[in-house]
Amino acid sequence: MPDSVISMDKVNKWFGALHALRDINFRVSAGEVVVVAGPSGSGKSTMCRTINRLETIDSGTIRVNGETLPAEGRELAKLRSEVAMVFQQFNLFSHLSILDNVTLGPIKVLRQSGAEACKEALGFLDRVGIGDQAHKFPAQLSGGQQQRAAIARALAMRPKAILFDEPTSALDPEMVNEVLEVMTQLAKEGMTMLVVTHEMGFARRVAHRVIFMDAGQIVEEAPPEAFFTNPKTDRARDFLSKILM
Amino acid sequence: MTGADRHLFDAPGPKAIRRMIIGSIIAGVLAVVALAYALVQLTDKGQLAAAKWLPFVTNLDLIKFLLLGLGNTIGAAIVSLGLALVLGIALGVGRLSEAKVVHTPCAAVVELVRGLPVLLNMLFLFLAFPLAFHIDLPAFWTVVLALTLYNGAVIAEIVRAGVLTLPKGQREAAMAMGLSWRQTMALVLLPQAIRIMLPSLISQLVVLIKDSALGFIVGYQELAAQAQSAALLLNNPLQTYMIVGVVYILLNSLLSEASNYIGERQKRTLSKVYASARVAAVDER
Amino acid sequence: MNELMGVISTLLRAFVTTLELTFLSAILSLVVGILAAAMRVSPVPPLRWAVSVYVRLVRNTPLTIVFFITVFGLPQVGVNFSFFSFALLALTLYTATFVAETVRAGIQAIPIGQIEAARSIGLTFTQVLAYVVLPQAVRSVVPPLASTFIALFKNSSIASAFGVAEAISVMTNMVNVHSTIVLSIMGATAAIYVALALLFGRAFTWLERKALIAR
């Protein structure tokens, strides 16, 4: 399937005795926005992290752009640079300014010149609405601003897809929307996105497809309308009744 | 596994695993070679001869002699710890005082003493005391007072840090009840600070035990001094000092473990007691 | 007064030896300590074990005993250095354990998220080390290293009991010769120690601020 940016085939992972991922199969096509939902501990975050090999898998295949995820070395670094990641805890480099956070990858990995990277970075920061914060350090920004800077850092790598690992879970409630707005904008522009989140409103409005996970398995996979109005499994119904109350 | 793998290194792929195994084999072989070389050298120079090691098992007088030293080491360390605690609390609280006449001299003493080698304090008592007062200070007190002075200054800083890390609410609550500064310090802050300090105090005992080994320079018969005499008598310095070293290591490891254990246990209970205060403090920022 | 001036100038020369001993052991223990820390966090288990045994053993041994073993033990197996070199060896062996622990703690104190983020933008291992890990570790490591090296400066006085003519050793000799000005001699020695310790403290504070700004 040459068309899928990310694909997983029969992926399994154990944490000791815990079967964290059970026979995971799914695809994300170019330009698609896929939301992964499920109770905490369902393995959705782990699944997201395996795509960048921040977690290893025990069996199965992960492909990015049709290429099997390399195990190590420069090949792995190169593939990682093509699939950017946005973390729950933002993880901006605390010793670098916001601008340097965004330009580090383009300069060191993509080998852009400093001036070019800087110009582009400012563009990305403007796009996420914090162009005026470029010369501050991460600790001086609010959580919402930090997460938007992290999105700019991801965009600067010109990735083929962006993985979002619970991007709003560590934010104060009043800052959730500013981050979701940026993500919605990205989706409209055609970015391929895999989003692990509890924000069901976002899933409903933006996602092309919702994947529901429980106990390490993909239990249900459906377009958002179908998933929210007519979940097929008890587990999904149960989850939705709790989260939408 | 230790933090090593996950922190600096990616989860290893097949090549990395191969490299790790090869590295382990090379390191292991090198260690064995080094150990073998050391053993050959030791045998060559007659350092593994039974006569050099056996006295530590068979010679009761020697064992008693070294145990006496160990007793003196522990004695000096414990007495110094007690006195240093008193001095340290006085200096630490003095440094926290709002009155400048109290605060400044205490700060000066602490900074001054911490800049001096313990050995210099000891030699000062050893050489200058008899001149000034026309009596020799007993070796025990030379060691104890020198250690007390230095560690008192260190403990003063621990006390100060202990009081300063207490949640602000503790002081405010005491003041709000109408307690004076002195009452707040004595009844509310110090007792809590000392409890928090317990692990640091035990670690300080390790420092005292190690520093008391300077006693051999001023003629105090602690473990290092006894070792020196024994090594001369038996003509086996390598063996004596290694065995005495092992005794120190066992004693200090035990104390370090105890300190860690108490520290860990305290962290759990204290986090319960102060949890709400910490959260409040974070919100204020 | 003249007598005291003569003593002080002799003392100052002895402090040069103290400083030589301090600086050389500081540099050596920095090298050994960083190497040991690198081994301690390496993915090769025997290297980790070797360093953790070394650190545990030496940190729990009094420096005096380390001196005894090097100065009197090593000649028994045919290792003969000058007293100065022996002192250098003993101080380095001892101080390097503190450096190793400090550097290791500095590396491990970096939140794992920082490193994962660095990996996720495609930095290679060396790049992660150079652009994210080390710059952050250096900052957290400078203050504790400062205390370690100031302690080393004071610890170098123990070499006086093992044949090195550094400040304390020369002071003791002077006290025996000039018995009328004992207090002045010791006072002068103490004053120089404290002044130098404060100076080092200042220097490290400056360095720390510099490390902070150079982010």
Side-chain angles (χ1 to χ4, degrees), chain A residues 2-178:
Chain A
D3 210 3
S4 19
V5 180
I6 299 164
S7 71
M8 284 199 170
D9 285 297
K10 296 204 182 97
V11 169
N12 280 281
K13 178 177 180 62
W14 281 267
F15 285 117
L18 177 76
H19 200 165
L21 296 179
R22 296 167 190 252
D23 274 329
I24 301 286
N25 292 297
F26 81 93
R27 283 165 177 35
V28 181
S29 311
E32 205 181 9
V33 176
V34 177
V35 162
V36 184
S40 48
S42 59
K44 54 192 194 304
S45 214
T46 305
M47 183 185 84
C48 181
R49 288 163 56 85
T50 58
I51 299 166
N52 235 336
R53 204 179 176 277
L54 294 176
E55 301 285 353
T56 54
I57 55 174
D58 294 306
S59 69
T61 324
I62 299 175
R63 288 197 185 82
V64 175
N65 278 324
E67 204 181 317
T68 307
L69 188 64
E72 57 201 330
R74 288 187 175 281
E75 300 78 26
L76 175 62
K78 184 173 170 293
L79 220 78
R80 278 173 170 169
S81 73
E82 291 172 4
V83 182
M85 183 139 183
V86 174
F87 298 86
Q88 183 178 354
Q89 300 292 341
F90 335 134
N91 293 344
L92 291 175
F93 304 125
S94 58
H95 63 301
L96 298 178
S97 71
I98 298 301
L99 183 63
D100 291 340
N101 260 280
V102 180
T103 57
L104 183 67
I107 292 175
K108 300 300 175 190
V109 179
L110 305 180
R111 304 281 167 200
Q112 290 182 7
S113 73
E116 187 192 353
C118 198
K119 201 172 127 244
E120 286 197 5
L122 287 171
F124 287 121
L125 287 171
D126 274 336
R127 237 167 99 185
V128 299
I130 51 167
D132 52 335
Q133 311 287 329
H135 297 285
K136 290 191 180 163
F137 283 90
Q140 296 168 294
L141 267 56
S142 73
Q145 291 172 323
Q146 287 192 52
Q147 193 60 299
R148 285 187 279 156
I151 294 174
R153 176 173 70 181
L155 287 173
M157 296 306 294
R158 308 259 177 213
K160 304 211 167 81
I162 304 183
L163 310 172
F164 291 84
D165 184 7
E166 305 208 22
T168 56
S169 301
L171 292 174
D172 290 334
E174 73 269 21
M175 294 172 182
V176 169
N177 274 333
E178 61 187 63

Side-chain angles (χ1 to χ4, degrees), chain C residues 160-190:
Chain C
S160 65
F162 297 89
V164 179
E166 50 64 78
I168 294 289
S169 149
V170 168
M171 178 198 81
T172 318
N173 291 342
M174 293 284 147
V175 164
N176 289 332
V177 180
H178 306 269
S179 53
T180 52
I181 48 167
V182 170
L183 286 180
S184 314
I185 296 173
M186 300 193 97
T189 314

Side-chain angles (χ1 to χ4, degrees), chain B:
Chain B
M1 289 274 232
T2 57
D5 6 326
R6 288 318 251 137
H7 233 90
L8 275 184
F9 299 91
D10 247 322
K15 264 190 231 157
I17 288 176
R18 208 173 323 134
R19 255 181 264 143
M20 271 157 57
I21 293 173
I22 293 172
S24 296
I25 293 171
I26 293 174
V29 169
L30 281 179
V32 170
V33 168
L35 213 64
Y37 177 77
L39 281 177
V40 168
Q41 281 297 309
L42 286 170
T43 324
D44 256 17
K45 310 280 187 213
Q47 294 300 317
L48 291 182
K52 296 227 176 223
W53 294 92
L54 269 183
F56 297 103
V57 192
T58 55
N59 188 338
L60 270 184
D61 287 335
L62 173 65
I63 295 171
K64 264 190 227 156
F65 184 72
L66 290 177
L67 282 179
L68 176 74
L70 180 62
N72 284 340
T73 288
I74 296 174
I78 287 179
V79 174
S80 308
L81 183 68
L83 293 176
L85 190 58
V86 175
L87 178 66
I89 289 174
L91 286 172
V93 171
R95 202 172 177 181
L96 285 167
S97 160
E98 279 150 2
K100 227 178 176 162
V101 273
V102 184
H103 162 99
T104 314
C106 285
V109 169
V110 169
E111 291 305 322
L112 188 79
V113 171
R114 290 205 314 159
L116 289 174
V118 184
L119 180 55
L120 185 60
N121 295 342
M122 220 175 261
L123 286 172
F124 188 80
L125 293 167
F126 185 60
L127 297 170
F129 196 88
L131 285 172
F133 299 102
H134 303 288
I135 40 158
D136 280 343
L137 192 62
F140 173 78
W141 288 107
T142 307
V143 172
V144 164
L145 290 182
L147 292 180
T148 299
L149 192 60
Y150 181 76
N151 289 280
V154 174
I155 290 175
E157 289 298 277
I158 302 178
V159 170
R160 197 167 70 110
V163 169
L164 289 179
T165 50
L166 287 177
K168 219 169 61 181
Q170 295 290 316
R171 194 179 66 92
E172 284 166 355
M175 294 294 216
M177 282 169 63
L179 297 181
S180 68
W181 185 88
R182 201 173 297 180
Q183 287 169 320
T184 304
M185 191 57 79
L187 300 175
V188 180
L189 300 183
L190 258 189
Q192 299 187 55
I194 290 173
R195 219 176 62 156
I196 298 178
M197 280 161 51
L198 195 61
S200 318
L201 285 179
I202 298 177
S203 328
Q204 207 55 34
L205 190 57
V206 173
V207 174
L208 278 164
I209 285 173
K210 292 203 291 180
D211 280 353
S212 73
L214 291 171
F216 86 98
I217 295 173
V218 295
Y220 179 56
Q221 296 183 318
E222 41 70 49
L223 189 52
Q226 302 294 80
Q228 196 189 20
S229 311
L232 277 175
L233 211 68
L234 298 167
N235 189 26
N236 62 350
L238 192 64
Q239 293 73 9
T240 307
Y241 294 132
M242 279 172 112
I243 282 179
V244 165
V246 168
V247 173
Y248 275 112
I249 289 165
L250 289 178
L251 180 62
N252 288 335
S253 308
L254 209 69
L255 288 170
S256 304
E257 290 300 318
S259 157
N260 287 344
Y261 174 74
I262 295 174
E264 284 302 312
R265 221 183 45 179
Q266 257 187 6
K267 219 181 275 170
R268 264 175 277 141
T269 46
L270 285 180
S271 66
K272 267 183 231 151
V273 178
Y274 296 134
S276 49
R278 290 262 161 75
V279 171
V282 168
D283 281 349
E284 274 169 36
R285 257 184 279 138

Side-chain angles (χ1 to χ4, degrees), chain C residues 35-51:
Chain C
L35 221 65
M39 287 165 71
R40 185 73 176 74
V41 296
S42 81
V44 180
L47 295 182
R48 291 208 297 267
W49 299 331
V51 172

